[in-house]
Amino acid sequence: MGYLLHSALRNLKRKRSRTALTILGIMIGVASVTLISSIGQYGASAVGNELESLGLSGLTISAATGSQSMLKEDELSVIETCSGVEAVTPVLVETAELSSKRYETQALVWGIDTNADEIISLEVIYGRMFDRSDIKGRESVCLVDEAFANQAYARSNIIGKTVSVLYGGAEREFEVIGIVKTGSGLLQNMMGNYIPTFVYLPYTTFQQSTGKTGFDQIAVKVQNSDEVSETGQGILANLERFSGQVGGYLANDIAKQRETLDSMLGIVTLVLSAVGAVSLLVASLSIMTVMLVSVSERTREIGVKKSLGATRGTILLEFMFEALFLSLFGCLCGLAVGLALSFAGASILHTTFAVRGDVVLLSLIFSMLSGVIFGVYPAAQAARLNPVDALRQNG
């Protein structure tokens, strides 16, 4: 067995360029599948982190279609007193145009309360969050995201600047009192140019300027992530008892949204991995081509070995080992390159390094098996050669 392994390696070294190109093909296939699985994991992690900031235990309460269009202060108070509720904040949202003296962009304007940063994804990096005086006084102040600050003023800290926000059919000016981090997840870093700018206003200011008297939604953070559904049902029951409207409210479970998104990302990752596996199949076919050429070139050598007593099994195993080594080296190199690129990408994007082990393992097994399977035919061809006919060949 040791002789066969040594002989297989020696034969691969004879044609180093051809061997290297074959290994390269397999390496690219395995590396691509590894990268795809990493991207899928990064996406799932980014979605999870953003939803985690709404609390894995998060809920949003809204009015059901066909009932009252908005929630009121009284309903906010009812939710605050419900069992299992840790914190609540009213939420209003509307599309807008945000502009400074030198820059204009589309935006989403949010009306929020002072405790919104405890419940939703909101990290103030400069300045401050709204306080009670901003809410009670309906002050013309706002928070803008870091991306807008950099685009408009070429720096992150623009505290004290004035920006114009066009929404609700009128343009209003607001003083910037806080800068919010644009987003730390992979999706935000990769797609920052395509995600609209966010502007945050005191919800009372938002209501006054639009004429709204209620809220689009109420975000709820619950105390126990294992009791999200029960807490949501309790909130709905209390609201229906308070308003006398059965079925007048909806509770949206953020944790269930996360599970749905994770499942979708998992399916997308598997589909893309399957596409990457096609390159593995092509690389495996190249192993068959290389091995058939090798058989043709070494016909006389095979004849000599058979005339000296080598059996069909010995010749078959020698060529099979060559195909196995090509697959093995290609898989290991591809895995190393894929993991290295994934780690480098995670470091650059400041996210957690993660790879789907099941996808990588399947790609390795598929590559190894297909390489060996496609090596069977050339090996069998070599093993069936007649020693007399083989010795007559000039190759």
Side-chain angles (χ1 to χ4, degrees):
M1 186 64 70
Y3 167 76
L4 292 176
L5 294 173
H6 178 74
S7 178
L9 288 172
R10 186 181 66 245
N11 290 328
L12 290 176
K13 289 180 180 179
R14 289 179 181 176
K15 304 290 183 179
R16 294 185 180 182
S17 297
R18 189 166 64 194
T19 299
L21 289 174
T22 306
I23 291 174
L24 179 63
I26 299 171
M27 181 186 77
I28 292 173
V30 174
S32 65
V33 173
T34 303
L35 277 173
I36 289 170
S37 70
S38 296
I39 293 170
Q41 285 296 97
Y42 295 159
S45 176
V47 170
N49 289 338
E50 291 305 306
L51 291 179
E52 187 75 33
S53 63
L54 268 150
L56 217 219
S57 45
L59 287 168
T60 57
I61 307 298
S62 59
T65 303
S67 63
Q68 77 273 23
S69 60
M70 304 198 79
L71 300 171
K72 308 295 183 181
E73 289 280 356
D74 291 342
E75 290 157 322
L76 179 67
S77 299
V78 170
I79 295 173
E80 286 177 330
T81 61
C82 289
S83 175
V85 172
E86 182 176 331
V88 299
T89 187
V91 176
L92 299 98
V93 63
E94 192 168 312
T95 57
E97 290 185 8
L98 174 65
S99 61
S100 64
K101 293 181 179 179
R102 293 173 291 179
Y103 182 69
E104 181 177 329
T105 185
Q106 295 295 311
L108 285 178
V109 56
W110 297 79
I112 57 175
D113 205 349
T114 57
N115 64 337
D117 56 341
E118 300 174 11
I119 304 173
I120 63 176
S121 180
L122 199 63
E123 180 185 349
V124 179
I125 55 177
Y126 298 107
R128 63 177 178 85
M129 185 62 184
F130 302 133
D131 57 27
R132 294 315 305 172
S133 64
D134 296 323
I135 301 297
K136 290 180 179 179
R138 297 178 173 85
E139 301 295 336
S140 296
V141 293
C142 70
L143 310 176
V144 298
D145 65 30
E146 185 181 12
F148 171 78
N150 286 322
Q151 290 286 345
Y153 292 95
R155 65 179 188 273
S156 297
N157 190 347
I158 59 169
I159 301 301
K161 295 293 184 181
T162 300
V163 296
S164 297
V165 185
L166 174 61
Y167 70 101
E171 186 172 16
R172 302 166 182 85
E173 291 192 344
F174 295 87
E175 179 187 351
V176 178
I177 63 168
I179 308 299
V180 177
K181 192 172 182 61
T182 300
S184 56
L186 174 71
L187 295 181
Q188 287 77 12
N189 283 322
M190 293 183 68
M191 301 175 64
N193 294 331
Y194 307 99
I195 293 178
T197 296
F198 286 180
V199 188
Y200 302 90
L201 309 178
Y203 78 90
T204 51
T205 305
F206 192 110
Q207 288 175 323
Q208 184 182 50
S209 58
T210 59
K212 293 182 177 181
T213 57
F215 320 119
D216 297 318
Q217 292 182 331
I218 294 175
V220 181
K221 186 175 183 179
V222 305
Q223 295 171 351
N224 190 340
S225 61
D226 296 328
E227 299 178 357
V228 177
S229 179
E230 292 82 354
T231 302
Q233 292 302 315
I235 291 173
L236 294 182
N238 287 342
L239 286 172
E240 290 173 357
R241 192 180 306 114
F242 169 78
S243 65
Q245 292 184 339
V246 177
Y249 304 91
L250 297 174
N252 190 10
D253 188 342
I254 302 299
K256 287 185 178 178
Q257 286 191 358
R258 176 179 182 172
E259 292 173 2
T260 302
L261 288 169
D262 282 346
S263 298
M264 291 175 61
L265 285 168
I267 292 171
V268 171
T269 300
L270 287 175
V271 171
L272 292 176
S273 297
V275 173
V278 173
S279 62
L280 291 178
L281 184 62
V282 173
S284 299
L285 285 170
S286 71
I287 291 179
M288 177 183 285
T289 302
V290 167
M291 297 306 297
L292 285 172
V293 172
S294 180
V295 170
S296 176
E297 292 176 342
R298 293 158 55 193
T299 301
R300 186 175 180 84
E301 175 190 329
I302 294 169
V304 171
K305 288 182 178 181
K306 281 200 164 187
S307 66
L308 294 175
T311 64
R312 283 192 175 188
T314 302
I315 301 297
L316 179 68
L317 284 175
E318 183 176 335
F319 279 86
M320 284 295 295
F321 280 136
E322 289 184 32
L324 179 62
F325 282 139
L326 287 173
S327 296
L328 180 61
F329 293 154
C331 285
L332 293 178
C333 291
L335 181 60
V337 170
L339 291 175
L341 290 175
S342 299
F343 181 78
S347 300
I348 293 171
L349 295 171
H350 305 291
T351 187
T352 304
F353 171 67
V355 177
R356 281 194 60 171
D358 56 342
V359 173
V360 173
L361 182 61
L362 283 174
S363 70
L364 292 176
I365 293 174
F366 176 80
S367 179
M368 292 289 293
L369 287 178
S370 59
V372 172
I373 290 170
F374 284 115
V376 168
Y377 177 72
Q381 288 289 93
R384 283 199 298 266
L385 285 175
N386 185 290
V388 176
D389 294 335
L391 287 170
R392 289 175 179 171
Q393 299 294 323
N394 294 324

